[in-house]
Amino acid sequence: MQKKLICLVLFLISLGLTAQVVGTITDSKNTPLPFVNVIIENTYKGTTTNDDGYYELNINQPKTYTIVYTYLGYKTVKKEVSIDKFPFTLNIALEEESVSLGEVIVNAEDNPANGIIRKTIEKRKENLEKINSFKADFYSRGLIRIKDAPEKILGQDVGDLGGGLDSTRSGIIYLSETISKIQFLRPDKLKEKITASKVSGDDNGFSFNSALDVDFNFYNNTIEFGNEIVSPIASNAFNYYRYKLDGVFYDERGNLINKISVIPKRENDPVFSGTIYIVENQWTIYAIELNLTGTQARIPAADLIALKQSFTYTEKDDLWPIISQSIDFKYGILGIKGDGRFTAVYSNYDFKTPLTNKDFGREIVAFENEANKKDSLFWKTIRPVPLTVEERTDYIRKDSIQLVKESKPYLDSIDRANNTFKLGNVLGYSYQNSHKDYRFGYDVPFGGIQFNTVQGYTAETNIFFTKNYDEFRRFFRANASLQYGFSDKRLRARASLTYKFNDINRRFLTVSGGEEVAQFNPSNPITPFGNTLVTLFIEENYMKLYQRRFIQLNYSEELFNGFRFYADIAYENRSALFNTTDQTFYPNDDKVYLTNNPIDPTSTAAPFINHNIVKLNVTGRINFGQEYLSYPDSKFNVYNDKYPTLVLSYEKGLGATNKDYNFDQVKLRLYQSFNIGNKGRFGYNLRSGQFFNAENIAFMDFQHFNGNQIKISRRGNYTDVFNNLGYYDLSTNDSYLEMHAEHDFNGFILGKIPGLNKLNFNLILGAHNLATPNNKPYQEFTVGIDNIGWGKWRFLRVDYVRSYQSGFQSDAILFGLKFF
């Protein structure tokens, strides 16, 4: 029986190896040519060569075929072959195409390239709408290399990155493949069913290569590639590009192809540079070879991105669909340099489909069960682009490494080495059992060392335990923290237990309790680090604190796609706190610390009566238009910026020992952020609420608004803060309306100003409004410059802020930092 099984396997492998036309494509100097398109004439069945110039065209029926070999810059070759057995070897040598201007005269007054581009722009929308719907097969391969990686980054060991690095600190750190079926319906419906996914060194991994991520249609005005990049044939393309006709040639069907250089008018604009090929009279795209810098794409780590697309024509459909695409890139950051390529092949198009909107839902990518379990025989028979020697070696090496690294003896040996306590572990140590996948330990965080006028200097220690199940889809977490205040001489502790039930609706249950010092505003608008600096250096103790002893239960889950439910209930004992220290680095005789009373910072009275209360909060968050990716036993939601997010909440205080402190509040929030073509990104955030039976409630239950008296921002979200407002100036227990709006022009304006465009700064305009009863409306207007820095380190934003309330109130300069 075993012998028969071996014979059957060998027979199947032989079928996979032989049902192919194979060969190597070279130039006239016998140099292999990568990314050559190999297609059976008048079909959408084909492949491309790999980096070694080798191709495999999967054909399973012996007969006569006409095979077409096309490569930009080289003459197209057609070969009619009669195949009676497999494998069939067909090596091809391509000759360079003669690209000539002929008798075309180019002068400053009559640039023929401009005329060609204008006609292409005129036909842009028509060509965009020619393809109403289709089904197709999709294949993608992604490869990322690293070169000369440092052994440590910011003091942390880099290691060998899962076996990706060799002794020279170089190698492949990511290699994966995807096979899928895709469906498209104009204007923007795209659905993908991934049937096979392979990741080198991870037999349970899922590739992140998908058709959705590489859907770049240059007939649209902009292409989303990190930034919204202006197409060379966009309606407003002449505002961004200059063009030059490099020459013309004829394709195998006799079509005249115009080779046109695409030249940016300004180097930091969101634009491409390179070459676009246009079919004369049809004014369609024949191919593109375009480049993009990391600056233009707003991807700081990228040095250069090169995008190539090839299209094919069939008389049957009278269309020019894309058949292959490659994205080559080089990157460098934190001393790490590397490159990579993502290759995509589209085949077996069907343009006569009855697809309608009913065929498309919110699920945009789905993985079949067992998609990541396909064996090497499957991949050998279906892979349209053969592996290179480097890629085959990486698969073999990492798969063997994985077998070793997943073995219990290996995991135990690694754990023994890592679990050994060393002198450097004094401030943090963890013990792990990799085989059973649990970990526990402690750490003393640098951020736990802080200063405030209530506790003085503080030190903190965290203790943790983690147990993962089902490849991290379920987990259990236990955490505890101890904090000691050296001035008030109090040790406070809190702990929590969290369980995640699954990775589909992401149901969480958390039980927590303990004693802590809390800000009156639960949004914590003042960071402990920022408060420490301004308190010790300029004697401004903005942070106001109270003591909270509590036990709390939190629950959340996604009830259905786009709707997430949150609920929490807490029993709290609240006590007022007072300043216990007046220490400062630079004492000022004319200045003293304010009290810890946020209602009246000059009063030494307690801001509320000590009390107990039960707090209940129920919230529903609706992400309108939310799309998602389906993995086996997992669901990943994708934010859809075409629609806003709505949050509805009900909060209740009950059972308070002081009956005046019971209350009800309903809250609403609506927010959204979206691109406006190439003109930047606009975001808004609206909040509104109403209290009931809340005339005399405790101050921590008021609605507080995020102020910023420190004038340094690390929040990153400027549509959730008033940067020239005191932290508790307009807190309310009545109704309120809070509005924020901001537009980041993303280089649209400053990128067009000579001189300034070299700096690559972004202009940002903002407006903020707050309305509460018994107060005049408060407004802020901001003008900011973002992306300030040098090279790839763009960490600073500076805003000028003016505030108004019954006329001009004050102005300020705000500094925003994107790190630490």
Side-chain angles (χ1 to χ4, degrees):
M1 182 65 184
Q2 187 178 15
K3 183 177 179 181
K4 289 182 179 179
L5 181 60
I6 293 172
C7 290
L8 177 60
V9 171
L10 291 175
F11 173 70
L12 292 173
I13 291 175
S14 68
L15 287 179
L17 292 174
T18 56
Q20 294 170 335
V21 176
V22 301
T24 301
I25 302 177
T26 61
D27 61 13
S28 57
K29 297 179 181 178
N30 206 35
T31 302
L33 296 175
F35 208 61
V36 178
N37 292 307
V38 183
I39 301 173
I40 299 173
E41 189 176 37
N42 289 321
T43 73
Y44 299 112
K45 187 175 183 64
T47 183
T48 68
T49 57
N50 63 19
D51 285 353
D52 299 329
Y54 179 72
Y55 74 94
E56 294 175 355
L57 181 60
N58 292 322
I59 296 174
N60 53 26
Q61 185 177 353
K63 65 176 185 179
T64 299
Y65 296 91
T66 299
I67 304 176
V68 183
Y69 301 84
T70 60
Y71 189 59
L72 287 176
Y74 290 79
K75 292 181 179 179
T76 297
V77 171
K78 286 186 181 182
K79 285 287 185 179
E80 184 175 299
V81 293
S82 296
I83 301 174
D84 56 5
K85 64 178 182 178
F86 296 102
F88 188 91
T89 301
L90 185 57
N91 297 320
I92 299 294
L94 299 183
E95 297 180 7
E96 290 190 29
E97 181 70 69
S98 176
V99 179
S100 173
L101 285 172
E103 296 182 359
V104 176
I105 299 175
V106 181
N107 57 59
E109 296 180 358
D110 184 21
N111 182 350
N114 290 348
I116 294 167
I117 293 297
R118 285 194 178 95
K119 290 176 182 177
T120 305
I121 291 173
E122 289 175 6
K123 292 272 288 186
R124 180 191 66 82
K125 189 174 181 181
E126 180 183 330
N127 284 322
L128 178 65
E129 296 175 352
K130 269 188 177 181
I131 298 179
N132 182 63
S133 65
F134 68 77
K135 294 181 179 180
D137 293 337
F138 176 79
Y139 168 79
S140 176
R141 179 149 80 236
L143 180 146
I144 303 175
R145 299 184 189 90
I146 198 169
K147 297 180 179 179
D148 193 23
E151 294 187 0
K152 291 187 177 183
I153 295 179
L154 301 178
Q156 299 297 314
D157 289 329
V158 174
D160 65 356
L161 299 179
L165 301 182
D166 58 23
S167 59
T168 67
R169 308 291 297 164
S170 302
I172 295 175
I173 58 171
Y174 177 78
L175 172 61
S176 71
E177 297 176 272
T178 296
I179 296 283
S180 58
K181 303 282 186 182
I182 59 176
Q183 295 182 176
F184 170 80
L185 179 67
R186 193 172 62 82
D188 57 2
K189 303 280 189 185
L190 183 63
K191 184 168 72 173
E192 181 174 13
K193 183 77 169 183
I194 296 178
T195 58
S197 177
K198 182 177 178 65
V199 179
S200 181
D202 185 358
D203 57 9
N204 290 314
F206 290 96
S207 167
F208 59 73
N209 315 338
S210 74
L212 190 73
D213 293 328
V214 294
D215 182 29
F216 306 127
N217 191 332
F218 281 79
Y219 290 111
N220 289 316
N221 280 320
T222 60
I223 295 91
E224 187 175 352
F225 206 126
N227 197 2
E228 289 288 335
I229 312 299
V230 179
S231 169
I233 59 169
S235 301
N236 59 344
F238 279 95
N239 293 333
Y240 293 88
Y241 295 102
R242 292 182 290 109
Y243 304 93
K244 176 176 174 288
L245 180 61
D246 291 333
V248 298
F249 62 91
Y250 291 90
D251 70 1
E252 71 277 8
R253 294 180 179 83
N255 294 309
L256 179 66
I257 310 300
N258 298 284
K259 180 181 179 182
I260 298 176
S261 287
V262 176
I263 307 162
K265 286 187 174 180
R266 296 167 294 272
E267 63 178 352
N268 288 332
D269 273 355
V271 293
F272 296 96
S273 62
T275 304
I276 186 168
Y277 298 81
I278 302 296
V279 183
E280 186 81 10
N281 296 323
Q282 298 183 47
W283 314 118
T284 57
I285 300 174
Y286 176 79
I288 64 167
E289 294 178 310
L290 296 173
N291 298 326
L292 187 66
T293 66
T295 298
Q296 292 164 331
R298 297 295 188 266
I299 305 175
D303 293 323
L304 184 69
I305 303 167
L307 177 64
K308 293 182 181 180
Q309 288 184 342
S310 294
F311 300 77
T312 190
Y313 176 80
T314 60
E315 297 177 359
K316 173 185 173 184
D317 299 307
D318 188 27
L319 294 171
W320 287 85
I322 184 173
I323 56 169
S324 62
Q325 176 176 275
S326 70
I327 304 169
D328 291 85
F329 56 92
K330 294 182 179 180
Y331 66 91
I333 193 167
L334 294 175
I336 297 177
K337 293 184 178 181
D339 59 22
R341 167 180 286 184
F342 282 84
T343 302
V345 176
Y346 301 78
S347 60
N348 298 325
Y349 278 104
D350 178 8
F351 292 100
K352 295 179 169 45
T353 66
L355 292 173
T356 66
N357 283 321
K358 295 181 180 179
D359 296 300
F360 297 83
R362 296 303 179 187
E363 183 185 65
I364 54 177
V365 177
F367 284 78
E368 285 187 353
N369 287 328
E370 306 296 318
N372 61 337
K373 307 296 183 183
K374 307 297 184 183
D375 59 20
S376 58
L377 174 60
F378 170 87
W379 284 100
K380 179 63 181 175
T381 56
I382 202 169
R383 179 186 288 121
V385 181
L387 297 174
T388 64
V389 173
E390 179 188 29
E391 291 164 341
R392 286 197 300 271
T393 302
D394 189 73
Y395 271 135
I396 294 170
R397 185 168 62 87
K398 286 184 181 173
D399 288 347
S400 63
I401 290 174
Q402 183 187 10
L403 290 174
V404 173
K405 288 189 172 182
E406 289 182 346
S407 67
K408 188 175 185 301
Y410 177 84
L411 293 175
D412 289 344
S413 67
I414 294 298
D415 287 346
R416 278 194 298 272
N418 291 335
N419 292 338
T420 301
F421 189 87
K422 306 176 184 67
L423 183 61
N425 297 131
V426 172
L427 297 180
Y429 170 78
S430 66
Y431 176 93
Q432 64 183 22
N433 185 314
S434 299
H435 182 66
K436 294 183 178 180
D437 208 354
Y438 68 79
R439 179 171 169 261
F440 63 85
Y442 73 91
D443 68 85
V444 181
F446 176 76
I449 302 173
Q450 51 186 269
F451 179 85
N452 61 69
T453 55
V454 170
Q455 297 171 284
Y457 288 100
T458 67
E460 185 174 325
T461 299
N462 298 320
I463 305 169
F464 58 86
F465 173 82
T466 298
K467 169 65 178 174
N468 295 310
Y469 310 89
D470 303 328
E471 299 170 7
F472 300 93
R473 286 190 288 270
R474 293 185 298 135
F475 63 72
F476 171 75
R477 304 277 191 270
N479 294 281
S481 64
L482 302 171
Q483 186 189 56
Y484 183 75
F486 287 89
S487 180
D488 68 348
K489 298 179 173 58
R490 287 291 303 273
L491 178 67
R492 296 176 174 89
R494 61 168 293 163
S496 66
L497 304 174
T498 299
Y499 184 75
K500 179 184 177 183
F501 289 82
N502 61 66
D503 209 35
I504 297 177
N505 63 14
R506 285 180 168 80
R507 182 183 299 136
F508 286 89
L509 181 65
T510 299
V511 179
S512 58
E515 179 181 86
E516 65 180 3
V517 169
Q519 293 188 45
F520 281 85
N521 183 348
S523 296
N524 297 323
I526 315 170
T527 65
F529 179 76
N531 181 72
T532 298
L533 292 180
V534 298
T535 304
L536 289 174
F537 284 90
I538 61 175
E539 211 168 347
E540 293 286 3
N541 57 325
Y542 296 122
M543 183 182 285
K544 307 303 176 186
L545 304 166
Y546 72 97
Q547 181 168 276
R548 176 177 178 253
R549 297 187 183 97
F550 70 100
I551 182 168
Q552 183 167 321
L553 181 68
N554 295 73
Y555 178 84
S556 70
E557 72 167 299
E558 187 178 53
L559 295 180
F560 53 86
N561 182 56
F563 180 81
R564 187 159 190 88
F565 172 78
Y566 303 84
D568 62 77
I569 186 168
Y571 177 79
E572 303 182 6
N573 170 268
R574 297 149 159 190
S575 304
L577 296 174
F578 303 90
N579 290 346
T580 62
T581 178
D582 59 359
Q583 182 178 352
T584 181
F585 286 167
Y586 300 98
N588 185 338
D589 294 338
D590 298 327
K591 193 173 187 179
V592 295
Y593 282 126
L594 296 174
T595 70
N596 190 48
N597 186 332
I599 301 173
D600 183 359
T602 63
S603 171
T604 58
F608 62 92
I609 300 171
N610 294 350
H611 64 281
N612 300 331
I613 192 171
V614 175
K615 288 284 295 290
L616 172 68
N617 195 308
V618 178
T619 298
R621 187 189 68 197
I622 306 172
N623 289 328
F624 294 103
Q626 176 179 281
E627 298 172 326
Y628 63 93
L629 287 65
S630 293
Y631 289 72
D633 300 321
S634 294
K635 175 177 181 279
F636 292 92
N637 296 325
V638 178
Y639 173 71
N640 189 339
D641 64 8
K642 295 180 181 178
Y643 304 94
T645 295
L646 175 65
V647 181
L648 298 170
S649 299
Y650 170 70
E651 185 180 32
K652 184 174 182 64
L654 67 154
T657 50
N658 183 336
K659 293 183 179 180
D660 288 342
Y661 286 178
N662 295 329
F663 71 96
D664 299 87
Q665 183 189 184
V666 292
K667 296 184 283 186
L668 177 149
R669 181 188 178 198
L670 188 72
Y671 62 94
Q672 186 182 10
S673 177
F674 54 90
N675 290 321
I676 304 178
N678 65 306
K679 297 174 179 62
R681 191 167 185 86
F682 177 78
Y684 65 86
N685 182 18
L686 310 177
R687 293 178 186 269
S688 183
Q690 174 69 60
F691 282 87
F692 301 93
N693 307 313
E695 291 81 6
N696 298 302
I697 63 174
F699 191 68
M700 67 281 290
D701 294 320
F702 276 48
Q703 180 65 33
H704 304 289
F705 307 99
N706 295 329
N708 186 7
Q709 293 172 265
I710 296 176
K711 300 301 182 287
I712 295 176
S713 175
R714 288 168 42 206
R715 300 179 64 86
N717 181 8
Y718 284 67
T719 59
D720 199 29
V721 61
F722 295 95
N723 279 306
N724 206 24
L725 179 68
Y727 294 108
Y728 299 105
D729 286 357
L730 296 177
S731 298
T732 184
N733 59 345
D734 203 333
S735 59
Y736 57 90
L737 176 63
E738 178 182 359
M739 297 181 288
H740 305 268
E742 187 173 87
H743 185 75
D744 182 349
F745 287 92
N746 203 11
F748 180 72
I749 293 180
L750 298 185
K752 295 177 173 59
I753 301 176
L756 279 178
N757 58 10
K758 301 291 184 182
L759 300 175
N760 197 25
F761 292 164
N762 298 336
L763 175 66
I764 300 176
L765 300 180
H768 311 262
N769 183 80
L770 176 59
T772 59
N774 305 318
N775 289 297
K776 295 292 184 181
Y778 174 84
Q779 295 102 18
E780 283 184 4
F781 300 95
T782 62
V783 179
I785 302 295
D786 196 8
N787 213 40
I788 301 173
W790 60 89
K792 296 180 179 181
W793 300 100
R794 302 281 176 162
F795 56 85
L796 179 63
R797 168 175 166 173
V798 178
D799 287 77
Y800 173 67
V801 185
R802 289 180 68 89
S803 56
Y804 295 83
Q805 192 173 23
S806 296
F808 173 74
Q809 189 180 63
S810 64
D811 58 1
I813 300 294
L814 174 72
F815 295 92
L817 303 177
K818 299 179 183 178
F819 64 98
F820 78 86

